Amino acid sequence: MKTIKLTIFALLVSAISFAQWDMYNPNPNNDPANASKELLNPTNHTLLLIDHESQMAFAVESQPIEELRNNTGLLAASATLYKVPTVVTTVAEKSFSGPIFPEIREYFPNEKEYIDRTTMNSWEDKRVVKAVADIGKKKLVIAGLWTEVCTLSAALSALEDGYEVYVVVDACGGTSQEAHDMAITRMVQAGIKPVTSLQYLLEIHRDWARSDKYAEVVKISKRYGGAYGLGIDYIKTMKTWAKENEGDH
């Protein structure tokens, strides 16, 4: 009897969890409850963006800055579309590091909500820890500069505090390729999960039957999605031209 009650309780918790996720015009063949609990969805995590600032970006050597900015924009756009609770933090913004990337300001324009710190490890700032804790999600997705300092220290600290931590590796940047790679390796060895910015978008979108978000996902993918975005633009444009040509005959 106890086992049956626990099973019913688990099903109710699952149903409530997915009910909070703004679903879509459902395909009767699909059941989101079958998805792995490892997967991110719009309501099960917090996003923490750390120090995507001019001065920090100047020293990044692990990828071209335009790629870093593009991936950060993709991440910010995805989180905004799905209303993912997001904490933006800076370090010595007005005295040294400078403004946040325009790609973040576009989607999170209220700069008064940014938390400006002195600590390299944002998890040593009590305001950051409280902001994340107040949101109440146990999954935490992090991206920041530099990978080997601010991202690493916050990720390891949050992990030790009981959070299930994911790092968006292509929205982070290190002062060398080796520094970036070794930081990612160290985090993975500790149990932190690596993801990419496009993976993040598609993981939280998950189902093309989500017609309420389809147009916006396509728009974000075309703008930031590299070859994937070009592919979407290509097929849609070719279809438009084909229809126009039909009208000419």
Side-chain angles (χ1 to χ4, degrees), residues 178-194:
E178 183 178 29
H180 175 81
D181 292 346
M182 292 304 100
I184 297 299
T185 298
R186 184 177 174 187
M187 286 187 277
V188 170
Q189 287 175 339
I192 292 163
K193 302 169 178 64

Side-chain angles (χ1 to χ4, degrees), residues 1 12 14 70 76 143 152-153 159 161 175 184 245 247:
M1 188 67 180
L12 286 172
S14 176
N70 181 81
L152 173 76
S153 57
L159 183 71
D161 274 359
T175 55
I184 297 299
N245 288 336

Side-chain angles (χ1 to χ4, degrees), residues 112-189:
K112 291 182 179 179
E113 293 183 351
Y114 301 169
I115 300 174
D116 191 51
R117 323 175 318 276
T118 61
T119 59
M120 285 182 270
N121 178 7
S122 59
W123 214 253
E124 293 179 40
D125 189 301
K126 292 183 287 187
R127 296 169 298 167
V128 175
V129 176
K130 184 178 186 303
V132 173
D134 286 349
I135 292 168
K137 312 291 184 183
K138 292 310 290 183
K139 291 183 186 290
L140 179 62
V141 178
I142 298 176
L145 305 181
W146 300 321
T147 319
E148 67 270 28
V149 182
C150 301
T151 303
L152 173 76
S153 57
L156 291 177
S157 300
L159 183 71
E160 194 168 292
D161 274 359
Y163 288 89
E164 187 178 349
V165 182
Y166 300 68
V167 168
V168 187
V169 296
D170 62 353
C172 300
T175 55
S176 68
Q177 189 65 59
E178 183 178 29
H180 175 81
D181 292 346
M182 292 304 100
I184 297 299
T185 298
R186 184 177 174 187
M187 286 187 277
V188 170
Q189 287 175 339

Side-chain angles (χ1 to χ4, degrees), residues 241-249:
W241 287 348
K243 288 181 180 179
E244 291 174 354
N245 288 336
E246 286 176 6
D248 292 339
H249 296 293

Side-chain angles (χ1 to χ4, degrees), residues 176-240:
S176 68
Q177 189 65 59
E178 183 178 29
H180 175 81
D181 292 346
M182 292 304 100
I184 297 299
T185 298
R186 184 177 174 187
M187 286 187 277
V188 170
Q189 287 175 339
I192 292 163
K193 302 169 178 64
V195 297
T196 64
S197 52
L198 183 58
Q199 177 188 352
Y200 176 82
L201 169 61
L202 298 179
E203 190 165 319
I204 60 176
H205 179 60
R206 195 82 60 76
D207 190 340
W208 294 115
R210 299 186 73 173
S211 56
D212 60 325
K213 298 289 192 296
Y214 178 84
E216 284 299 317
V217 168
V218 168
K219 181 179 177 182
I220 291 170
S221 298
K222 286 169 67 175
R223 181 175 178 185
Y224 297 112
Y228 177 68
L230 280 177
I232 294 173
D233 185 59
Y234 171 82
I235 193 65
K236 286 188 171 293
T237 303
M238 295 300 283
K239 284 182 177 179
T240 300

